[in-house]
Amino acid sequence: MPCSPAPLAPCRLLLLLLLLPALRLAPAPIPAASRQGRTLILLDVNGKSPARVTSERFLSLQLDPSIVHDGWLDFLSSRRLVTLARGLAPAFLRFAGKRTDFLHFQNLKNPAKSRGPGPGPDYYLKNYEDDIVRSDIALDKQKGCKIAQHPDTMLELQREKAAQMHLVLLKEQFSNTYSNLTLTARSLDKLYNFADCSGLHLIFALNALRRNANNSWNSSNALSLIKYSASKKYNISWELGNEPNNYRMLMGRTLNGTQLGKDYVQLKELLQLIRMYARASLYGPNIGRPRKNVVALLDGFMKVAGSAVDAVTWQHYYIDGRVAKVTDFLKTRLLDTLSDQIRKIQKVVNSYTPGKKIWLEGVGAASAGASSNLSDSFAAGFLWLNTLGMLASRGIDVVMRHSFFDHGHNHLVDQNFNPLPDYWLSLLYKRLIGPKVLAVHVAGLQRKPRPGKVIRDKLRIYAHCTSYHNHNYIRGSITLYIINLHRSRKKIKLVGTLRDRLVHQYILQPHGKEGLHARSVELNGQLLVMADDESLPDLKPRPLRPGRTLVIPPLTMSFYVVKNVNAPACRYR
Ligand SMILES: *[C@@H]1O[C@H](CO)[C@@H](O)[C@H](O)[C@H]1NC(C)=O
Ligand SMILES: *[C@@H]1O[C@H](CO)[C@@H](O)[C@H](O)[C@H]1NC(C)=O
Ligand SMILES: *[C@@H]1O[C@H](CO)[C@@H](O)[C@H](O)[C@H]1NC(C)=O
Ligand SMILES: *[C@@H]1O[C@H](CO)[C@@H](O)[C@H](O)[C@H]1NC(C)=O
Ligand SMILES: *[C@@H]1O[C@H](CO)[C@@H](O)[C@H](O)[C@H]1NC(C)=O
Ligand SMILES: *[C@@H]1O[C@H](CO)[C@@H](O)[C@H](O)[C@H]1NC(C)=O
């Protein structure tokens, strides 16, 4: 049978596969033919060498200082929260947000008791010498870790208190005026204890808005915090300020990149004088969306402090208000808003310090605690997973989710300490995805998209080496992850390197009648819930026999571990 000119003919696709051995980084645009849903998509990856390598802590977490305000800080040691956080280790925990620049450290010898009668949350703290949590990841240094089992009534009271505080926090956010917050030494202990118990490396963002008359940074309060931390031997990395381009709106004062750069150099010198932190990492400047003036700020900063920071950071919130209904999370235009930003940041960074690592911080569906109450739905996962895929494939080293746990809707864990859909997605990601990114090759690629052109694909395919921490898979295995935004199922045939291998399938779908609104998820048809406060469920794959076509259900996120590929890129660390 001759190849018909119809674009749907499979023989034409095969022909194209032979003629065009073009390798592209994910997401690979899917040929027009497959959009009708009838075509078999042929998928291969380049397993010879990684296209990119991210940090081992690529998927990392942020914790907002608002938890000082609403009282949740006192409950971070809760066994269930620690279990959940441990599931996502190894990761960074960045303690930062809008209130970073309103935080004052206070080291009182005898802190006044602010609690009412009865024992406070600390009364329930216990030392755990050993791992209390069964985890795939062996974590050392758990000695001295304090974990609590708070009574339900106490948590209930805290939830009521936090609900009232939530309104105050929201009001501050809407008016963009924040009250000063005191962080006591005791609170810092609790924060560090949580990070340490969970296997997370703490990054503390210091208040950058303490300024001298000549606009230089006044480091005296920061120094007292740093010295206290050193006295406790806390292993912390540092950052200075949060979204400095926003200071004019916050405080009616501008800070240019040169000044901020000098402040970072000052901080670096200060850390070098303290033995504990002489070699501590420093990150920054956490600028916002790279509009023209923000790029200018970054440029000035890099000129002065480019070599002082260990990674250059920026933050992004997918615009408030744009996500007004769950189907907004399916908009490819929203998914692609990051693409241009990555290019802009990379351009500035590479012009001063080529190859310097770049991190995206504070990413979330909208600013913390914003009006959108859809960020904890199943649908939000499309945005989160695509963010992870896009950033890794573009060489971004680390991404910090805002937040692990806070008063808004953008968190991974809610105030009943129940994991939300994005938590489960993150857990699956951590278990299956290693830092090595592989180029994806889709048959039928007809033309390269022009640079800067918005890619409107509704089927996005990414590939990495399978995580070495996952002992179910031997080294050399490959994990694919696929976002299907189509309302129809898609069929994919693994070819080349991936051909005829045993595949483990992990499909995430919403649980219950709410569909995309669901706040619980199913993995391969089974509801995901915590077994108890100290254990996460097994994430059980569904084995597919070698050579079987992958059928990707509509509106799903799925992971496929292609076993025993023995891919050279994935064999060694
Ligand atoms: C917060 O603290 C800063 C620095 O000490 C001070 O300048 C400012 O007035 C304080 N703001 C409020 C609202 O108290
Ligand atoms: C820096 O701030 C502290 C108060 O936090 C103040 O005592 C000190 O004088 C300030 N330093 C300078 C140089 O202004
Ligand atoms: C700015 O003021 C601080 C504190 O008064 C001083 O230590 C610093 O040298 C000044 N910087 C410049 C550039 O004048
Ligand atoms: C502190 O943590 C970093 C990051 O995990 C690690 O590389 C470093 O060795 C640690 N430093 C100490 C003194 O434990
Ligand atoms: C940046 O700000 C500092 C202090 O506010 C000022 O002295 C300096 O002239 C500014 N530099 C530029 C390039 O605007
Ligand atoms: C929050 O979600 C509910 C439905 O779950 C909806 O009725 C309500 O209007 C939403 N509120 C806001 C502020 O978006």
Side-chain angles (χ1 to χ4, degrees), residues 34-95:
S34 69
R35 294 200 191 112
Q36 271 72 47
R38 272 171 282 165
T39 317
L40 198 58
I41 294 155
L42 305 178
L43 176 68
D44 191 7
V45 301
N46 178 358
K48 290 205 184 68
S49 59
R52 311 274 189 200
V53 183
T54 68
S55 163
E56 285 275 349
R57 296 185 171 101
F58 175 70
L59 192 170
S60 279
L61 305 168
Q62 196 159 316
L63 201 58
D64 197 285
S66 61
I67 61 164
V68 178
H69 220 331
D70 65 16
W72 279 118
L73 183 74
D74 289 333
F75 293 86
L76 284 182
S77 55
S78 287
R79 185 186 275 231
R80 200 173 159 95
L81 269 188
V82 171
T83 302
L84 287 163
R86 269 192 198 187
L88 302 181
F92 291 105
L93 182 73
R94 175 179 185 252
F95 184 68

XYZ file of all heavy atoms in Angstrom, residues 34-95:
492
model
N -1.494 13.676 15.254
C -1.912 12.967 16.448
C -2.965 13.734 17.232
O -3.583 13.198 18.117
C -0.712 12.711 17.345
O -0.278 13.937 17.874
N -3.154 14.997 16.892
C -4.127 15.785 17.648
C -5.524 15.233 17.473
O -6.379 15.419 18.295
C -4.067 17.256 17.221
C -2.730 17.856 17.609
C -2.779 19.353 17.664
N -1.406 19.833 17.791
C -0.781 20.507 16.847
N -1.408 20.849 15.735
N 0.452 20.887 17.017
N -5.715 14.526 16.375
C -7.036 13.931 16.174
C -7.214 12.702 17.048
O -8.298 12.181 17.162
C -7.234 13.555 14.706
C -7.818 14.685 13.871
C -6.804 15.796 13.640
O -5.664 15.552 13.286
N -7.214 17.026 13.843
N -6.140 12.230 17.630
C -6.261 11.148 18.585
C -6.227 9.768 17.988
O -6.340 8.782 18.686
N -6.080 9.689 16.684
C -6.134 8.365 16.088
C -4.741 7.807 15.821
O -4.579 6.642 15.557
C -6.936 8.425 14.782
C -8.426 8.211 15.020
C -9.210 8.480 13.764
N -9.373 9.915 13.549
C -9.766 10.443 12.412
N -9.982 9.685 11.377
N -9.920 11.743 12.304
N -3.779 8.704 15.907
C -2.439 8.289 15.527
C -1.683 7.703 16.701
O -1.852 8.131 17.833
C -1.648 9.501 15.033
O -2.505 10.238 14.209
C -0.414 9.085 14.289
N -0.860 6.756 16.366
C 0.045 6.212 17.357
C 1.267 7.118 17.382
O 1.870 7.393 16.347
C 0.431 4.801 16.908
C 1.021 3.860 17.924
C 0.083 3.676 19.089
C 1.290 2.525 17.248
N 1.591 7.598 18.565
C 2.768 8.456 18.673
C 3.971 7.570 18.971
O 3.909 6.695 19.831
C 2.551 9.494 19.795
C 1.434 10.440 19.392
C 3.838 10.263 20.088
C 0.740 11.078 20.555
N 5.028 7.793 18.245
C 6.228 6.978 18.448
C 7.209 7.771 19.297
O 7.540 8.902 18.976
C 6.860 6.635 17.100
C 5.923 5.957 16.095
C 6.636 5.709 14.782
C 5.379 4.655 16.661
N 7.626 7.161 20.391
C 8.434 7.905 21.358
C 9.750 7.201 21.655
O 9.791 6.010 21.931
C 7.616 8.060 22.649
C 8.322 8.720 23.829
C 8.596 10.186 23.540
C 7.464 8.591 25.073
N 10.803 7.985 21.608
C 12.131 7.473 21.962
C 12.840 8.565 22.768
O 12.404 9.723 22.764
C 12.919 7.153 20.673
C 14.197 6.362 20.955
O 14.407 5.949 22.120
O 14.981 6.164 20.017
N 13.891 8.203 23.475
C 14.684 9.217 24.174
C 16.154 8.983 23.831
O 16.529 7.900 23.401
C 14.514 9.158 25.711
C 13.080 9.341 26.116
C 15.078 7.868 26.267
N 16.944 9.996 24.065
C 18.389 9.828 23.908
C 18.954 9.363 25.244
O 19.089 10.152 26.167
C 19.029 11.151 23.487
C 20.532 11.044 23.349
O 21.114 9.975 23.601
N 21.173 12.123 22.960
N 19.259 8.083 25.323
C 19.744 7.521 26.581
C 21.258 7.514 26.672
O 21.825 6.970 27.606
N 21.899 8.108 25.685
C 23.376 8.055 25.667
C 23.999 8.978 26.698
O 24.879 8.595 27.447
C 23.884 8.420 24.271
C 23.591 7.354 23.237
C 24.579 7.424 22.077
C 24.216 6.424 20.997
N 22.942 6.779 20.308
N 23.516 10.212 26.700
C 24.053 11.155 27.689
C 22.957 12.128 28.083
O 22.065 12.425 27.283
C 25.253 11.908 27.110
O 24.843 12.606 25.963
N 23.001 12.613 29.328
C 21.932 13.507 29.763
C 22.009 14.854 29.042
O 23.101 15.350 28.766
C 22.189 13.677 31.257
C 23.612 13.314 31.462
C 23.998 12.366 30.384
N 20.840 15.419 28.764
C 20.798 16.739 28.145
C 21.065 17.812 29.200
O 21.639 18.855 28.915
C 19.442 16.958 27.491
N 20.614 17.531 30.428
C 20.793 18.448 31.562
C 20.940 17.610 32.814
O 20.449 16.485 32.866
C 19.550 19.331 31.774
C 19.027 20.011 30.561
C 19.742 21.301 30.354
N 19.097 22.060 29.292
C 19.707 23.034 28.641
N 20.941 23.357 28.930
N 19.077 23.691 27.701
N 21.529 18.212 33.835
C 21.559 17.566 35.146
C 21.159 18.606 36.186
O 21.771 19.668 36.276
C 22.955 16.997 35.481
C 22.917 16.269 36.818
C 23.436 16.061 34.384
N 20.103 18.318 36.932
C 19.644 19.258 37.958
C 20.238 18.874 39.305
O 20.941 17.876 39.424
C 18.111 19.226 38.098
O 17.750 17.961 38.653
C 17.412 19.418 36.768
N 19.938 19.645 40.319
C 20.330 19.318 41.684
C 19.585 18.068 42.155
O 18.479 17.786 41.689
C 19.991 20.486 42.604
O 19.995 20.076 43.950
N 20.209 17.332 43.077
C 19.530 16.194 43.715
C 18.285 16.675 44.464
O 17.365 15.914 44.721
C 20.458 15.537 44.745
C 21.564 14.694 44.169
C 21.107 13.277 43.865
O 20.007 12.911 44.291
O 21.854 12.558 43.188
N 18.310 17.947 44.826
C 17.188 18.516 45.577
C 16.269 19.317 44.663
O 15.614 20.253 45.123
C 17.715 19.441 46.675
C 18.536 18.752 47.749
C 18.884 19.765 48.821
N 19.495 19.165 49.988
C 20.808 19.184 50.239
N 21.633 19.790 49.407
N 21.290 18.626 51.322
N 16.250 18.962 43.380
C 15.527 19.769 42.392
C 14.148 20.225 42.881
O 13.841 21.408 42.898
C 15.397 18.997 41.077
C 14.563 19.696 40.048
C 15.026 20.838 39.427
C 13.298 19.225 39.710
C 14.261 21.504 38.484
C 12.520 19.884 38.769
C 13.006 21.023 38.160
N 13.324 19.277 43.292
C 12.000 19.667 43.803
C 12.180 20.026 45.273
O 12.435 19.165 46.107
C 11.004 18.524 43.631
C 9.521 18.807 43.834
C 8.686 17.631 43.378
C 9.116 19.213 45.224
N 12.089 21.311 45.585
C 12.294 21.775 46.948
C 11.097 22.567 47.444
O 10.142 22.791 46.695
C 13.573 22.615 47.020
O 14.701 21.767 47.093
N 11.173 22.977 48.705
C 9.985 23.517 49.355
C 10.244 24.875 49.984
O 11.362 25.186 50.376
C 9.545 22.564 50.463
C 9.302 21.129 50.029
C 9.167 20.226 51.232
C 8.066 21.044 49.145
N 9.198 25.636 50.086
C 9.282 26.913 50.775
C 8.296 26.895 51.935
O 7.287 26.189 51.906
C 8.937 28.024 49.778
C 9.353 29.394 50.245
C 9.478 30.361 49.081
O 10.031 30.027 48.035
N 8.961 31.564 49.258
N 8.635 27.646 52.951
C 7.756 27.777 54.106
C 7.639 29.270 54.367
O 8.647 29.971 54.404
C 8.391 27.054 55.291
C 7.513 26.622 56.452
C 6.408 25.702 55.991
C 8.361 25.898 57.496
N 6.425 29.761 54.500
C 6.219 31.198 54.583
C 6.285 31.673 56.036
O 5.690 31.049 56.921
C 4.846 31.522 53.981
C 4.715 32.989 53.660
O 4.546 33.801 54.602
O 4.796 33.333 52.470
N 6.970 32.795 56.283
C 7.055 33.313 57.654
C 5.693 33.667 58.256
O 5.613 33.935 59.459
C 7.915 34.575 57.510
C 8.676 34.383 56.256
C 7.793 33.574 55.356
N 4.635 33.636 57.457
C 3.316 33.887 58.039
C 2.997 32.852 59.120
O 2.151 33.108 59.985
C 2.238 33.880 56.955
O 2.194 32.627 56.326
N 3.680 31.720 59.093
C 3.411 30.706 60.131
C 3.884 31.155 61.514
O 3.509 30.557 62.518
C 4.006 29.314 59.809
C 5.530 29.372 59.689
C 3.390 28.719 58.578
C 6.147 28.002 59.769
N 4.704 32.206 61.555
C 5.051 32.787 62.855
C 3.816 33.509 63.392
O 3.499 33.476 64.572
C 6.217 33.798 62.714
C 6.547 34.450 64.053
C 7.438 33.124 62.124
N 3.125 34.154 62.457
C 1.974 34.983 62.787
C 0.769 34.157 63.235
O 0.110 34.461 64.218
C 1.594 35.791 61.538
C 1.188 37.194 61.817
N 0.610 37.585 62.991
C 1.278 38.312 61.056
C 0.361 38.875 62.939
N 0.767 39.351 61.787
N 0.482 33.095 62.484
C -0.758 32.365 62.778
C -0.573 31.197 63.740
O -1.524 30.462 64.015
C -1.460 31.921 61.484
C -0.670 30.904 60.682
O 0.265 30.292 61.228
O -0.994 30.711 59.494
N 0.646 31.017 64.237
C 0.839 30.035 65.301
C 1.216 28.635 64.852
O 1.529 27.775 65.676
N 1.203 28.378 63.539
C 1.498 27.021 63.083
C 2.953 26.625 63.318
O 3.286 25.445 63.366
C 1.139 26.849 61.604
C -0.313 26.590 61.389
C -1.191 27.369 60.693
C -1.075 25.464 61.866
N -2.452 26.803 60.707
C -2.403 25.639 61.420
C -0.766 24.330 62.628
C -3.420 24.720 61.714
C -1.781 23.419 62.915
C -3.094 23.621 62.466
N 3.809 27.613 63.445
C 5.220 27.310 63.691
C 5.391 26.387 64.900
O 6.241 25.504 64.906
C 6.008 28.610 63.902
C 7.502 28.446 64.105
C 8.191 28.109 62.796
C 8.119 29.693 64.694
N 4.547 26.598 65.905
C 4.641 25.795 67.125
C 4.260 24.331 66.905
O 4.479 23.497 67.774
C 3.717 26.372 68.207
C 4.245 27.693 68.737
O 5.466 27.890 68.676
O 3.443 28.527 69.191
N 3.650 24.056 65.745
C 3.173 22.690 65.506
C 3.947 21.980 64.402
O 3.572 20.898 63.972
C 1.676 22.715 65.168
C 0.841 23.156 66.336
C 0.616 24.509 66.574
C 0.320 22.226 67.221
C -0.135 24.916 67.668
C -0.434 22.628 68.313
C -0.659 23.977 68.547
N 5.036 22.606 63.957
C 5.822 21.994 62.875
C 6.406 20.646 63.276
O 6.707 19.816 62.427
C 6.976 22.914 62.462
C 6.634 24.132 61.609
C 7.903 24.882 61.254
C 5.901 23.721 60.341
N 6.559 20.465 64.579
C 7.158 19.218 65.045
C 6.151 18.071 65.062
O 6.490 16.965 65.477
C 7.695 19.438 66.451
O 6.638 19.928 67.258
N 4.937 18.333 64.614
C 3.935 17.259 64.624
C 4.404 16.094 63.767
O 4.860 16.269 62.646
C 2.595 17.775 64.093
O 2.008 18.599 65.046
N 4.243 14.938 64.335
C 4.751 13.725 63.717
C 4.281 13.570 62.266
O 5.042 13.200 61.385
C 4.241 12.542 64.548
C 4.745 11.212 64.137
C 4.037 10.165 64.943
N 4.709 9.982 66.217
C 5.084 8.780 66.681
N 4.819 7.700 65.982
N 5.686 8.667 67.822
N 3.019 13.884 62.050
C 2.472 13.694 60.714
C 3.104 14.645 59.691
O 3.403 14.264 58.564
C 0.959 13.919 60.794
C 0.171 13.335 59.669
C -1.313 13.485 60.001
N -2.121 13.400 58.825
C -2.698 12.270 58.402
N -2.534 11.147 59.071
N -3.430 12.264 57.309
N 3.309 15.891 60.106
C 3.931 16.863 59.203
C 5.360 16.453 58.869
O 5.802 16.572 57.725
C 3.960 18.254 59.849
C 2.795 19.199 59.618
C 3.135 20.573 60.176
C 2.451 19.323 58.130
N 6.057 15.977 59.890
C 7.443 15.552 59.672
C 7.477 14.351 58.716
O 8.294 14.300 57.801
C 8.134 15.226 61.013
C 9.487 14.570 60.802
C 8.289 16.499 61.845
N 6.555 13.426 58.895
C 6.482 12.276 57.989
C 6.278 12.736 56.548
O 6.942 12.266 55.627
C 5.304 11.354 58.384
O 5.487 10.929 59.724
C 5.215 10.151 57.479
N 5.360 13.678 56.382
C 5.061 14.172 55.039
C 6.266 14.888 54.428
O 6.584 14.712 53.263
C 3.842 15.099 55.075
C 2.511 14.376 55.282
C 1.421 15.351 55.722
C 2.095 13.654 54.004
N 6.935 15.696 55.242
C 8.098 16.419 54.734
C 9.224 15.457 54.377
O 9.901 15.609 53.364
C 8.571 17.446 55.765
N 9.392 14.436 55.212
C 10.439 13.451 54.940
C 10.245 12.746 53.622
O 11.199 12.355 52.965
C 10.460 12.388 56.029
C 11.375 12.760 57.122
C 11.588 11.566 58.011
N 12.114 12.023 59.264
C 12.532 11.219 60.216
N 12.454 9.929 60.067
N 13.006 11.717 61.321
N 8.990 12.562 53.256
C 8.701 11.921 51.975
C 9.314 12.685 50.810
O 9.615 12.110 49.774
N 9.484 13.989 50.981
C 9.987 14.812 49.877
C 11.481 15.105 49.993
O 12.039 15.832 49.176
C 9.181 16.114 49.785
C 7.674 15.929 49.589
C 6.979 17.270 49.485
C 7.371 15.088 48.358
N 12.130 14.554 51.006
C 13.579 14.740 51.132
C 14.275 13.852 50.092
O 13.712 12.833 49.695
C 14.032 14.355 52.537
N 15.472 14.199 49.645
C 16.222 15.399 50.014
C 15.690 16.632 49.285
O 15.362 16.563 48.105
C 17.643 15.068 49.538
C 17.448 14.109 48.401
C 16.194 13.351 48.688
N 15.623 17.731 50.021
C 15.139 18.976 49.423
C 15.652 20.146 50.251
O 16.093 19.968 51.388
C 13.613 18.985 49.401
N 15.592 21.323 49.674
C 15.839 22.539 50.442
C 14.524 22.984 51.060
O 13.455 22.730 50.507
C 16.338 23.672 49.538
C 17.721 23.440 48.985
C 17.897 23.061 47.655
C 18.841 23.610 49.778
C 19.170 22.859 47.135
C 20.123 23.409 49.265
C 20.286 23.032 47.938
N 14.615 23.657 52.190
C 13.447 24.295 52.776
C 13.783 25.774 52.905
O 14.601 26.165 53.743
C 13.119 23.710 54.149
C 11.872 24.315 54.799
C 10.611 23.816 54.101
C 11.794 23.986 56.282
N 13.190 26.580 52.052
C 13.475 28.011 52.081
C 12.440 28.688 52.963
O 11.237 28.615 52.686
C 13.418 28.579 50.662
C 13.579 30.072 50.582
C 13.543 30.558 49.136
N 13.823 31.982 49.081
C 12.910 32.918 48.804
N 11.651 32.582 48.543
N 13.243 34.180 48.797
N 12.921 29.324 54.017
C 12.008 30.037 54.911
C 11.962 31.479 54.436
O 12.845 32.282 54.733
C 12.521 29.947 56.340
C 11.600 30.569 57.363
C 10.365 30.004 57.632
C 11.965 31.714 58.046
C 9.510 30.569 58.567
C 11.111 32.289 58.981
C 9.872 31.709 59.239
